[in-house]
Amino acid sequence: MKESDIIFPTIVRQFLKNGIRILSEDEEYTVQKFLEQAYVEQPCNEEVVYALIKFYNAKQAFEEAKEVGQAFLMMDGCNKSILGELSATYLAVNEMDTYFSLVKQHLEKEAQLNDFETNGMQEESNVIPFPKKIKPRRSITNFFEWGTSEQLEFLQQARFHDVEPYVESFALFLKDATTSPYVKSMVFELLQEKKVDKSFLVKKVGMEEQVNPSDTSLLGDGAFIKELIEKLVCRWEHSNPSLLEQLQAIVQQHLFLMYPFQFPITDTELWSEAYSKWLSQMYGEFWRDNPDINQQELIEAIKFIEKIEQAQQNYLL
């Protein structure tokens, strides 16, 4: 569904093309006010909705992004670009199950529209129609060329199929260092779900390894990540709960981005210190190092965090 065309000013087009990093603080304010006003005037305009969700994602205003996206979908909006941008929103708040539900609803709407186009104009009669044929599964041949939203839709549909015909293509996708690390995580989770017992070469965010889905822990199930989150909660729950909320979200995002890989060092005290120092200093806050932490390891851990964060921004903006 699409309302009247809207002409974006140059600064908004620059944001959509190059991301929020090119904007000054004043320019960010200008872009936000323009998009929010345009949304008030045209809440069903697909270009405005997409741009506003993208802006909110860039500002990590994920609840606002979800609200705009859900409102659009509730008004029978069907748009793959918007669904694709919403995948970044739900990934950031660790609610991909909700996102997949939205994708499912989107697919059902498309099917209903197709049925209407095929049968809606036919005159009523006493003839009982034959059952509709089940649509054949989409070919995976061009999986590499699809956008992220199309790839995620395919993976959602593949959960209901035998994935054996897709394994070879998935293997090529996983070992290509240029493909989306987020989609790779989804592919690997699907192979786990289907209990595929085969070793795959996985390359992502500068790491590579032969990994067998059937021998790998489910995402978030490991003792390491649970212990790390517990340390962060213990450290910040009372002194700075808003910082804790951000730290938990960032750690979960990084974990998903790396999956099936893990952090290179298993010292949770080190990573609690590294994430806390990294985010605190991003806000310009004074930081006093813990003398019990090896400073060289701390430097390397922060470098690793920055590398993962950079990779994440490259795929979200």
Side-chain angles (χ1 to χ4, degrees):
M1 64 196 292
K2 189 172 184 178
E3 298 183 356
S4 60
D5 291 336
I6 187 168
I7 299 176
F8 287 145
T10 301
I11 191 64
V12 175
R13 294 200 303 271
Q14 288 177 345
F15 158 69
L16 291 172
K17 181 178 180 181
N18 300 309
I20 202 168
R21 295 179 182 180
I22 66 165
L23 305 181
S24 66
E25 188 173 333
D26 289 342
E27 288 172 333
E28 283 184 24
Y29 179 81
T30 300
V31 171
Q32 181 173 352
K33 289 304 175 186
F34 175 85
L35 291 176
E36 288 178 340
Q37 183 59 40
Y39 178 68
V40 169
E41 295 172 358
Q42 298 192 42
C44 297
N45 187 299
E46 296 172 359
E47 294 178 345
V48 171
V49 171
Y50 169 78
L52 186 55
I53 294 173
K54 187 177 182 69
F55 181 83
Y56 282 148
N57 280 344
K59 295 290 290 181
Q60 297 189 352
F62 301 119
E63 291 304 317
E64 289 85 346
K66 286 165 57 178
E67 182 178 345
V68 171
Q70 289 173 352
F72 178 81
L73 295 171
M74 286 178 64
M75 292 185 289
D76 293 330
C78 291
N79 181 284
K80 290 184 177 180
S81 295
I82 291 173
L83 278 173
E85 191 60 34
L86 276 175
S87 70
T89 307
Y90 284 95
L91 176 62
V93 294
N94 198 28
E95 295 179 8
M96 288 307 290
D97 288 345
T98 303
Y99 172 74
F100 279 131
S101 296
L102 292 174
V103 171
K104 182 179 179 182
Q105 294 173 22
H106 170 67
L107 295 172
E108 289 173 348
K109 287 176 184 176
E110 282 194 334
Q112 291 170 2
L113 289 173
N114 290 337
D115 290 344
F116 177 79
E117 290 172 359
T118 302
N119 303 309
M121 302 304 294
Q122 294 179 358
E123 294 183 359
E124 292 185 8
S125 69
N126 293 324
V127 178
I128 299 175
F130 287 105
K132 298 180 179 65
K133 294 182 180 180
I134 298 176
K135 294 182 180 180
R137 290 178 290 181
R138 187 176 183 183
S139 171
I140 198 173
T141 305
N142 298 320
F143 188 75
F144 278 71
E145 301 172 8
W146 299 341
T148 299
S149 60
E150 291 179 291
Q151 291 171 334
L152 292 176
E153 284 183 1
F154 180 88
L155 294 173
Q156 172 67 358
Q157 291 175 319
R159 293 177 183 273
F160 304 102
H161 303 150
D162 173 19
V163 299
E164 184 59 35
Y166 309 145
V167 167
E168 184 176 347
S169 293
F170 285 159
L172 293 174
F173 187 82
L174 289 171
K175 74 177 183 180
D176 187 327
T178 66
T179 53
S180 167
Y182 287 115
V183 178
K184 282 177 178 166
S185 297
M186 297 294 189
V187 169
F188 198 85
E189 277 195 317
L190 175 61
L191 295 172
Q192 271 189 321
E193 181 182 323
K194 295 297 184 177
K195 296 179 171 56
V196 175
D197 187 6
K198 178 182 177 180
S199 183
F200 294 85
L201 176 61
V202 182
K203 295 182 181 181
K204 56 160 53 178
V205 291
M207 298 181 283
E208 65 176 84
E209 188 178 334
Q210 291 281 347
V211 189
N212 188 324
S214 64
D215 296 335
T216 306
S217 299
L218 296 174
L219 180 62
D221 275 0
F224 169 84
I225 190 62
K226 292 177 181 177
E227 184 178 328
L228 173 57
I229 295 297
E230 287 174 2
K231 279 189 166 59
L232 291 171
V233 169
C234 182
R235 184 170 191 165
W236 298 109
E237 184 175 20
H238 301 295
S239 62
N240 197 334
S242 62
L243 181 69
L244 171 62
E245 185 177 348
Q246 292 182 65
L247 284 169
Q248 288 177 304
I250 291 169
V251 169
Q252 293 290 351
Q253 292 166 25
H254 288 185
L255 183 69
F256 189 88
L257 182 72
M258 290 188 291
Y259 193 68
F261 300 124
Q262 304 292 332
F263 290 92
I265 303 175
T266 58
D267 183 352
T268 54
E269 196 66 49
L270 169 67
W271 290 105
S272 173
E273 180 81 1
Y275 270 102
S276 298
K277 179 177 181 177
W278 171 72
L279 188 58
S280 295
Q281 290 186 330
M282 281 186 63
Y283 287 115
E285 297 180 5
F286 173 76
W287 183 263
R288 187 185 300 277
D289 286 330
N290 182 347
D292 295 331
I293 299 294
N294 182 295
Q295 292 305 298
Q296 186 57 44
E297 289 185 349
L298 180 61
I299 291 172
E300 293 302 318
I302 291 177
K303 286 182 180 177
F304 182 83
I305 291 171
E306 290 173 343
K307 180 181 77 171
I308 299 300
E309 180 66 15
Q310 181 64 50
Q312 173 171 271
Q313 294 301 322
N314 287 343
Y315 282 92
L316 288 186
L317 297 182

